[in-house]
């Protein structure tokens, strides 16, 4: 919020909200309470949505998520407490849905533990040089440009437990591989970014799964079950991965990315622009004992995945008998299960590296505070989002109002997933965080669509919220994932942003149409097939148009590629 106009708009909006709150306080001073168990006359009314509206509007204006979420929580506490100053502080901090109560919830604190453990493992695996060893192996194995891009994607898919780990690792591993095949740094940054959040959002064993599960728990269905069911409807994430495969195999480039790829292949310039923020810094991180191996990357990740899956089905009652594997997985308590699996996986990782001699005892424990520091940002976002969610859903009974308001929507409700996708994308772009966006949107989605009455439409709505949040975050120049992808690829940040936006908008356009069709057809297999066909067809049309317009450029690039293959 550096520009003067932005500051003016922010304080104008803040002033409007303050005036509105004063008017509400006076108007509802002696109003009756409409809902039996509520403590405020605002419960079950339109004003129950005011806290997330405040958070959304301020986030869109300021492009800053922490203060926006906090002020949304403060407004919620004001309304729940009927504008009583001391009671407002009590409700915000230690009320039934306050910050302390929310964080101390066993499921929520378990998710925080899982995030911290992931941070420790990320830092530890980087210190031991597993990435450096994988880079050596991949350089000898990959022989084509398409292969190098697909290898980058494969590694990104493999590291699906956390997007931070993904960005911090894939770039370091694949820079020398892509450089040897003259792939621009902008293209590498795009592939890294496209296999970070999109992969984590469709992986059941990830920090994202744990977070989203916490947002959408209801009496009708568990959070992890909802997360799993939204995966085949999550068009932006799925189609982003499909796009990487298609453009890599068919050599499709357009927009500013085409210029960067042309310069890399023909002029041997990986950067295009004069900015070289990482000049002279393309060095691997090697293990402290010089004994790094590909196994130092693969073994901890594979063990973590296996242990987390076992923990999930254990918490779901699979080993008690009488339940199928998927039923137990759906009934699992995601937070505690992932925390247990993460702790076991972390202990294994320490012991494994000590026995391998990859890192010293004292050096290894430097990863504990450093790993925690890496996770402070998502923990803060989760804390405020959980509090906002609790105050809105349980303190203000927003679900009652939304359900009543939507009861007469009829067939129009079928178009809401597409609208939810656009709104989520706008918020994610403005705030630079998909976590905060989903934290705001998911509770509203679950309230709009009654899962008992419309389970498929509710699932599509959640997928649209998740897709929109990831899409906005994917394009945003202030997104931490976008920034880390630029750093991981050693790419000038604005080059990454401007070259990625046309690709992201292409997928977003197809996803928007797919969500419209999903609301109308509501058949997971038919809709997914249509979405895939639309995505491939769109890329083929773009390829034909660009190839005709830039025939000379593509011919030079093809000749340079043949020369490199020799």
């Amino acid at each position: 919020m550096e520009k003067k106009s932005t500051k003016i708009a922010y304080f104008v909006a803040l002033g409007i909200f303050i005036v509105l709150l004063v008017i509400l306080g006076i108007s509802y001073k002696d109003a009756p309470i409409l809902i039996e168990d509520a403590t405020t006359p605002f419960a079950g009314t339109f004003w129950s949505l005011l806290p997330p509206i405040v958070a959304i509007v301020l986030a869109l204006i300021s492009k800053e998520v922490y203060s926006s979420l906090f002020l949304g929580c403060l407004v919620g506490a004001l309304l729940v407490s009927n504008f009583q100053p001391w009671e407002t502080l009590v409700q915000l901090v230690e009320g039934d849905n306050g910050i302390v109560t929310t964080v101390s919830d066993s499921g929520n604190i378990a998710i925080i533990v899982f995030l911290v453990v992931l941070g420790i493992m990320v830092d530890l695996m980087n210190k031991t040089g597993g990435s450096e060893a994988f880079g050596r192996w991949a350089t000898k194995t990959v022989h084509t440009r398409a292969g190098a891009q697909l290898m980058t994607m494969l590694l990104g898919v493999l590291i699906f437990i956390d997007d931070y780990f993904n960005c911090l690792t894939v770039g370091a591993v694949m820079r020398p591989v892509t450089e040897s095949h003259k792939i621009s740094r902008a293209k590498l940054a795009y592939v890294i970014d496209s296999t970070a959040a999109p992969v984590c959002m469709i992986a059941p064993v990830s920090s994202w799964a744990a977070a989203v599960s916490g947002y959408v728990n209801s009496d009708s269905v568990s959070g992890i079950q909802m997360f799993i069911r939204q995966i085949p409807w999550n068009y932006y994430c799925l189609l982003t991965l499909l796009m990487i495969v298609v453009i890599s195999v068919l050599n499709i480039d357009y927009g500013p990315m085409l210029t960067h790829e042309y310069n890399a292949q023909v002029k041997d310039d990986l950067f295009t622009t004069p900015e070289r923020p990482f000049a002279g810094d393309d060095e691997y991180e090697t293990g402290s004992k010089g004994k790094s191996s590909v196994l130092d990357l693969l073994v901890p990740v594979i063990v973590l995945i296996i242990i987390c899956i076992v923990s999930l089905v254990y918490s779901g009652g699979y080993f008690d008998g009488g339940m199928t594997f998927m039923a137990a997985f759906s009934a699992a308590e995601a937070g505690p299960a992932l925390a247990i699996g993460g702790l076991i996986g972390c202990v294994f990782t320490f012991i494994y590296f000590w026995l391998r001699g990859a890192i010293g005892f004292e050096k290894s424990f430097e990863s504990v505070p450093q790993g925690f520091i890496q996770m402070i940002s998502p923990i803060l976002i989760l804390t405020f989002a959980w509090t906002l969610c609790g105050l809105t859903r349980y303190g203000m009974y927003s679900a009652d109002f939304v359900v009543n308001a939507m009861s007469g929507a009829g067939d129009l409700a079928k178009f809401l997933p597409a609208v939810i996708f656009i709104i989520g994308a706008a918020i994610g772009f403005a705030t630079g965080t998909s976590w905060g966006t989903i934290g705001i949107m998911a509770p509203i989605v679950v309230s709009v669509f009654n899962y008992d009455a419309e389970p498929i439409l509710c699932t599509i709505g959640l997928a649209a919220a998740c897709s929109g949040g990831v899409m906005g975050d994917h394009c945003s120049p202030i997104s931490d994932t976008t920034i880390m992808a630029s750093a991981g690829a050693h790419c000038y940040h604005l080059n990454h942003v401007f070259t990625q936006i046309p690709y992201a908008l292409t997928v977003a356009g197809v996803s928007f149409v797919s969500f419209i069709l999903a609301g109308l057809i509501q058949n997971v297999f038919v809709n997914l097939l249509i979405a895939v066909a639309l995505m491939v067809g769109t890329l083929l049309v773009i390829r034909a148009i660009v190839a005709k317009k830039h025939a000379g450029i593509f011919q030079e690039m093809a000749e340079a590629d043949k020369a490199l293959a020799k």
Side-chain angles (χ1 to χ4, degrees):
M1 197 170 62
E2 297 296 330
K3 292 183 179 180
K4 185 177 180 180
S5 58
T6 302
K7 292 181 180 180
I8 293 173
Y10 180 83
F11 286 111
V12 167
L14 199 58
I16 292 173
F17 285 130
I18 291 173
V19 172
L20 178 60
L21 288 171
V22 171
I23 295 174
L24 288 176
I26 296 173
S27 303
Y28 281 76
K29 184 177 181 180
D30 299 315
I33 297 176
L34 303 178
I35 297 179
E36 183 178 352
D37 296 328
T39 61
T40 173
F42 300 104
T45 69
F46 168 78
W47 304 112
S48 63
L49 297 178
L50 185 59
I53 289 174
V54 169
I56 290 171
V57 171
L58 294 181
L60 287 172
I61 294 173
S62 67
K63 298 179 176 60
E64 200 283 313
V65 69
Y66 301 108
S67 62
S68 302
L69 284 172
F70 175 77
L71 290 173
C73 294
L74 181 60
V75 170
L78 275 169
L79 296 179
V80 170
S81 64
N82 293 317
F83 296 94
Q84 300 176 36
W86 180 255
E87 184 64 20
T88 296
L89 293 176
V90 171
Q91 289 293 337
L92 179 63
V93 177
E94 60 179 9
D96 292 339
N97 302 292
I99 294 173
V100 173
T101 306
T102 299
V103 173
S104 61
D105 177 80
S106 60
N108 292 344
I109 197 65
I111 292 174
I112 291 175
V113 170
F114 182 59
L115 289 176
V116 173
V117 169
L118 278 178
I120 295 170
M121 290 186 65
V122 166
D123 194 76
L124 186 61
M125 283 186 276
N126 284 335
K127 277 184 169 60
T128 56
S131 299
E132 177 262 342
F134 185 88
R136 290 198 309 263
W137 172 81
T139 303
K140 298 177 182 178
T141 306
V142 179
H143 302 292
T144 64
R145 297 186 83 253
Q149 294 176 66
L150 293 175
M151 176 63 74
T152 305
M153 175 186 171
L154 178 62
L155 182 58
V157 172
L158 173 66
I159 307 176
F160 59 75
I161 55 175
D162 186 68
D163 59 328
Y164 290 0
F165 182 24
N166 187 305
C167 289
L168 294 172
T169 302
V170 176
V173 173
M174 297 305 298
R175 278 198 309 271
V177 182
T178 54
E179 183 173 350
S180 64
H181 291 282
K182 295 186 177 182
I183 296 172
S184 68
R185 291 299 165 80
K187 188 64 167 291
L188 174 60
Y190 166 71
V191 178
I192 292 173
D193 210 351
S194 299
T195 54
V199 170
C200 293
M201 183 52 75
I202 58 175
V205 184
S206 70
S207 55
W208 292 60
V212 175
S213 299
Y215 292 144
V216 299
N217 272 321
S218 68
D219 296 333
S220 305
V221 61
S222 69
I224 191 66
Q225 189 174 8
M226 278 290 289
F227 181 85
I228 293 172
R229 290 183 178 181
Q230 66 86 33
I231 292 175
W233 299 101
N234 199 322
Y235 295 125
Y236 183 81
C237 297
L238 294 172
L239 296 180
T240 294
L241 298 178
L242 175 63
M243 181 170 179
I244 296 174
V245 175
V246 174
I247 64 175
S248 299
V249 173
L250 299 182
N251 193 29
I252 301 174
D253 287 301
Y254 55 96
M257 187 72 79
L258 178 59
T259 302
H260 281 256
E261 285 293 270
Y262 173 79
N263 289 337
Q265 286 185 255
V266 178
K267 300 181 180 180
D268 200 21
D269 179 7
L270 302 178
F271 302 91
T272 295
T273 57
E275 293 83 5
R276 302 289 193 273
F278 300 96
D281 195 31
D282 285 326
E283 299 294 337
Y284 281 118
E285 185 173 356
T286 59
S288 60
K289 300 293 183 180
K291 300 179 179 179
S292 59
S293 165
V294 174
L295 295 178
D296 292 335
L297 180 71
L298 298 180
V299 171
V301 174
I302 293 172
V303 169
L304 176 67
I305 293 169
I306 293 173
I307 294 175
C308 283
I309 292 174
V310 172
S311 298
L312 284 166
V313 296
Y314 174 81
S315 70
Y318 177 75
F319 295 104
D320 295 334
M323 294 190 73
T324 64
F325 182 87
M326 286 307 299
F329 201 84
S330 298
E333 297 181 21
L338 291 178
I340 293 171
L343 286 170
I344 296 173
C346 188
V347 171
F348 168 85
T349 303
F350 272 96
I351 296 174
Y352 170 77
F353 286 136
W354 292 339
L355 295 178
R356 282 263 302 119
I359 193 170
F361 183 84
E362 293 183 3
K363 179 73 172 177
S364 65
F365 279 101
E366 292 178 5
S367 296
V368 175
Q370 292 174 5
F372 179 80
I373 289 171
Q374 292 177 11
M375 291 298 171
I376 289 177
S377 176
I379 289 173
L380 280 175
I381 292 172
L382 276 176
T383 298
F384 289 137
W386 282 332
T387 304
L388 180 64
C389 174
L391 289 168
T392 304
R393 292 174 61 186
Y394 306 118
M396 300 286 292
Y397 293 85
S398 60
D400 292 55
F401 166 75
V402 175
V403 170
N404 292 333
M406 293 301 301
S407 59
D411 292 337
L412 292 178
K414 296 179 181 179
F415 295 95
L416 286 180
V419 176
I420 290 169
F421 172 72
I422 295 298
I423 294 174
I427 299 171
F429 180 82
T431 61
T433 170
S434 47
W435 281 46
T437 302
I438 296 166
I440 292 171
M441 295 295 296
I444 297 177
V445 169
V446 176
S447 299
V448 168
F449 301 108
N450 183 354
Y451 186 85
D452 292 328
E454 300 174 306
I456 296 179
L457 207 52
C458 182
T459 305
I460 297 172
L462 177 62
C466 294
S467 283
V470 172
M471 187 271 162
D473 176 273
H474 200 193
C475 293
S476 178
I478 61 173
S479 163
D480 51 0
T481 310
T482 306
I483 293 169
M484 285 192 293
S486 300
H490 282 192
C491 173
Y492 179 53
H493 181 55
L494 292 181
N495 284 348
H496 170 43
V497 172
F498 292 134
T499 55
Q500 177 167 263
I501 285 178
Y503 286 34
L505 290 177
T506 301
V507 181
V510 175
S511 299
F512 177 73
V513 174
S514 299
F515 277 119
I516 293 176
L517 297 176
L520 297 173
I521 300 173
Q522 297 186 30
N523 184 299
V524 62
F525 298 108
V526 172
N527 282 113
L528 186 57
L529 185 62
I530 293 174
V532 169
L534 286 174
M535 188 74 254
V536 174
T538 300
L539 290 175
L540 291 177
V541 170
I542 291 174
R543 182 194 186 193
I545 294 173
V546 175
K548 183 178 180 180
K549 184 177 181 181
H550 302 287
I553 290 177
F554 279 102
Q555 183 177 355
E556 289 186 64
M557 292 170 66
E559 292 174 355
D561 194 31
K562 290 180 181 179
L564 181 64
K566 297 178 181 179

